[in-house]
Amino acid sequence: MKHFRFFLIPLLAATFGFSAFAQAQTPAAAVPQSRPQITLSFAPLVKQVAPAVVNIYTQRVVQQRVSPLFQDPFFRQFFGAQLPPGLSRQRMENSLGSGVIVKPDGLIVTSNHVIRGADQIRVVLSDRREFDAKLVAADEHSDLAVLRVETKGEKLPYLELGDSDAAQVGDLVLAIGDPFGVGQTVTSGIISAMAHTSIASSDNNYFIQTDAAINPGNSGGALVTMDGRLVGINAAIFSESGGNLGIGFAVPSNLVRVVLNAVEEGRKNIVRPWLGIDGQEVTSELASSLNMAQPSGLLVNHIHPASPAGKAGLQVGDVITSVNGHAVEDPEAYHYRIATLSVGSSVDFGVLRKGQTLTVHVPLIAPPENLPRDKSEVSGNSPLSGAVLENLSPAVAEDIHLHGAERGVVITAVKEDSNAASLGLQPGDVVVSINGAKIANVSDAMAALKQHNNSWRLSIQRGDSLVTVMVRG
C-alpha cells in the first residue's frame, strides 16, 4: 500500500469582480453543447483577476546548532537549552507564498502557515511593486492570516468574496498561483467534493476539494469561480511525492469572511462561538436504532453544565440534523457550520428527538473563563519543569484546541530541552494526579511539585487515554 501525505503549499492568487461578464455570457450553468462553446476562453476572466494576485516573501531568523553532538542528552545535561557562545549560529530562513487582496485599501488574506513565525513580511504586486506588510490577525483554527500594506490612499484591485455554501460539486474553478516559484500560472478544474480531511496546519476539517492543479508554492492563493469571486484559499494538496495528483484543498470563503469581519471590528484574535456540547457520528447501526432513514447528523452525547445549548433545551441523545437550515452530514460539517457563525448572534438547530423533529434556538456566546487561569511555569528539578500550567476552562480549551476536557490543570506550553519535554509531555495534556494526589487546580499542582521526592508518579490525560509516568529522581 502506498502511503500518502498532505503537503502544505505556499501560492499566489487573486481576483476581483467579474460578475457582469459572467451574467451576460452564462445566464445559467450548462454543459457545452457545441464546438464554439468548447473553444470559449478563460482569458477575459484571468485578465480581470490577475492584478489582485500577490506574492508573499517572508524571512525569519533561526538558531542553528553548529554540531549535532549538542542534540545528545549527555551534552544537554551540561549546557541545557542555552548553548555556550560560539556553539550556535543564526541562519536566515526564507519562504514564499501567496495572498489575495480582498479590500482596495490593502487588506490581504493568506494562509497562516505561510507567515507563521516570520520576522519580516514582504508583498509583491503583479506590477512588481513591493510593500512591507504588517500582520493584522492570525487564526490557527482555520489556518488563515490577514495582512495590511500601506497604499497611501491608492486603491488596489481586489477580489470579492463569494458564497462557498452556494458552490456545488462540478462547478468550474480557476487556481492562480506561482508554483515552485516559476512565475504566475493559471490552472482550471472543477470542485471535486466538499471534502473532510485532516491537515496539520489547521483543526478545521472541512475543505473545498478541487482537481485544478495546485503545487508547492500555492499556499494562500485563490480558488476562483466563474463569476470572478473568491470561493476558497488554497491550503494543501494530497500527494505521495509533493507534486500535484489532482487532489487539492481550499479553505471555504465563508470561513474567510468570519476572519475579515473580526478584523473590521478591530479584533486581532478570532473568537468562535461556544456551544458546550460534544457529539459523535451517527453510524448505520445508530441510525437504525434511532429509526432514521439514513445515517447523518451529530448525536449529542455530552452537554457542559454552562452550555447555552443545554439551557435552550438541547438534550443528550438529540441528533442535530441541520444548522440554520444547512444539512449536517457528520461532526465535521457541524463544526464547520458553527465556525462560520459569530459570537453575539444565534443559531437554529434542526433536531431529531425520539422520532420527532423540532427546532432549538440557541444564543451564541464566547467560551467562558469560569475559573482564573493562574498561568504558572514549573521550575526546579521536578519532572514537570519547563511546562506551563493553567486552570482548564472552556476559554483555555478553545485557545489550545482541546476538546472533551472540562476541568483540571492543563499544560499549555513546554520549553524545549526541559524535563517536561524529555518526558514527551505536550500542550493539551491534562495533569490528573501527582504521586497519587488528585490535581484540581494549578495551586494543587505547584504544591505537589514542591515536595522533595526520589521518585515521581504522574497521571496524564491525553485525548481519550490516561497515561501513568514513573520518574526516578
Side-chain angles (χ1 to χ4, degrees):
M1 174 181 286
K2 292 184 178 180
H3 296 279
F4 290 84
R5 294 176 289 167
F6 285 100
F7 290 82
L8 301 177
I9 39 162
L11 187 168
L12 180 159
T15 81
F16 64 93
F18 195 67
S19 57
F21 176 86
Q23 292 171 359
Q25 299 299 320
T26 56
V31 175
Q33 301 293 323
S34 64
R35 180 172 294 276
Q37 290 179 352
I38 293 174
T39 58
L40 289 174
S41 172
F42 293 123
L45 175 59
V46 173
K47 184 177 180 180
Q48 291 285 340
V49 303
V53 175
V54 300
N55 281 335
I56 297 177
Y57 297 90
T58 66
Q59 289 186 333
R60 66 170 182 162
V61 177
V62 296
Q63 199 79 5
Q64 186 178 37
R65 303 188 194 282
V66 174
S67 170
L69 289 175
F70 291 95
Q71 299 285 3
D72 191 298
F74 176 78
F75 288 93
R76 302 310 302 165
Q77 68 178 318
F78 296 106
F79 298 109
Q82 300 298 320
L83 288 177
L87 295 180
S88 67
R89 63 186 176 192
Q90 290 185 340
R91 178 175 60 86
M92 188 68 72
E93 186 173 270
N94 301 306
S95 66
L96 167 68
S98 302
V100 182
I101 304 174
V102 292
K103 296 290 181 181
D105 60 356
L107 206 63
I108 297 168
V109 173
T110 186
S111 293
N112 187 57
H113 68 264
V114 169
I115 55 85
R116 184 186 291 120
D119 296 310
Q120 182 179 5
I121 305 172
R122 192 80 172 160
V123 169
V124 181
L125 305 187
S126 60
D127 59 11
R128 298 185 180 182
R129 285 183 294 166
E130 298 188 11
F131 298 86
D132 286 325
K134 294 192 301 183
L135 178 62
V136 177
D139 182 34
E140 294 280 351
H141 289 267
S142 60
D143 189 31
L144 293 172
V146 180
L147 310 176
R148 184 180 293 281
V149 296
E150 179 54 57
T151 65
K152 298 181 179 179
E154 179 185 353
K155 301 297 183 182
L156 299 179
Y158 67 100
L159 172 63
E160 294 182 358
L161 269 62
D163 181 5
S164 54
D165 285 342
Q168 300 181 54
V169 174
D171 284 351
L172 285 168
V173 288
L174 299 181
I176 308 174
D178 186 9
F180 305 106
V182 299
Q184 187 179 105
T185 61
V186 180
T187 57
S188 65
I190 64 170
I191 293 177
S192 308
M194 303 305 287
H196 302 159
T197 186
S198 270
I199 293 179
S201 65
S202 167
D203 66 353
N204 165 47
N205 290 331
Y206 197 89
F207 295 85
I208 296 174
Q209 182 180 321
T210 180
D211 67 350
I214 298 174
N215 289 291
N218 286 48
S219 277
L223 193 67
V224 184
T225 51
M226 293 299 99
D227 61 358
R229 294 176 183 270
L230 177 71
V231 73
I233 294 292
N234 296 322
I237 57 175
F238 186 55
S239 174
E240 61 178 347
S241 63
N244 174 61
L245 288 179
I247 305 176
F249 299 98
V251 178
S253 58
N254 285 354
L255 277 180
V256 178
R257 183 174 284 107
V258 171
V259 175
L260 290 177
N261 288 343
V263 169
E264 290 178 351
E265 294 169 3
R267 293 186 279 118
K268 293 185 177 181
N269 297 317
I270 288 76
V271 179
R272 289 196 163 81
W274 180 76
L275 275 303
I277 64 174
D278 288 318
Q280 66 189 75
E281 181 180 2
V282 178
T283 62
S284 297
E285 292 78 8
L286 283 173
S288 178
S289 67
L290 294 169
N291 295 320
M292 297 176 63
Q294 62 184 39
S296 64
L298 176 81
L299 175 62
V300 178
N301 57 23
H302 178 75
I303 298 179
H304 190 281
S307 165
K311 294 176 181 178
L314 197 70
Q315 300 177 9
V316 171
D318 287 348
V319 177
I320 298 175
T321 58
S322 67
V323 174
N324 284 342
H326 296 286
V328 171
E329 299 87 3
D330 49 36
E332 287 79 10
Y334 164 80
H335 290 300
Y336 164 71
R337 291 296 171 194
I338 298 303
T340 62
L341 304 177
S342 299
V343 171
S345 61
S346 60
V347 63
D348 287 326
F349 286 146
V351 173
L352 178 66
R353 179 184 296 167
K354 297 179 180 179
Q356 302 295 316
T357 57
L358 60 150
T359 300
V360 178
H361 183 78
V362 183
L364 297 177
I365 67 172
E369 191 169 316
N370 46 19
L371 185 66
R373 295 183 182 229
D374 194 14
K375 186 175 181 178
S376 304
E377 181 178 331
V378 181
S379 58
N381 292 321
S382 78
L384 290 181
S385 179
V388 177
L389 307 180
E390 296 188 40
N391 288 322
L392 192 56
S393 67
V396 172
E398 178 75 10
D399 287 347
I400 61 175
H401 311 170
L402 181 65
H403 303 290
E406 294 181 356
R407 59 178 64 87
V409 174
V410 64
I411 297 173
T412 57
V414 178
K415 275 190 173 181
E416 185 181 358
D417 299 314
S418 65
N419 291 348
S422 67
L423 288 177
L425 299 177
Q426 59 190 37
D429 288 345
V430 177
V431 182
V432 177
S433 67
I434 300 175
N435 288 339
K438 296 293 184 181
I439 303 301
N441 51 52
V442 172
S443 296
D444 288 347
M446 299 303 283
L449 292 170
K450 287 180 180 178
Q451 304 296 321
H452 296 285
N453 294 290
N454 293 324
S455 63
W456 298 86
R457 186 176 51 148
L458 307 176
S459 292
I460 304 293
Q461 184 83 35
R462 179 177 295 174
D464 295 328
S465 301
L466 181 64
V467 180
T468 298
V469 181
M470 302 295 295
V471 182
R472 295 291 179 184

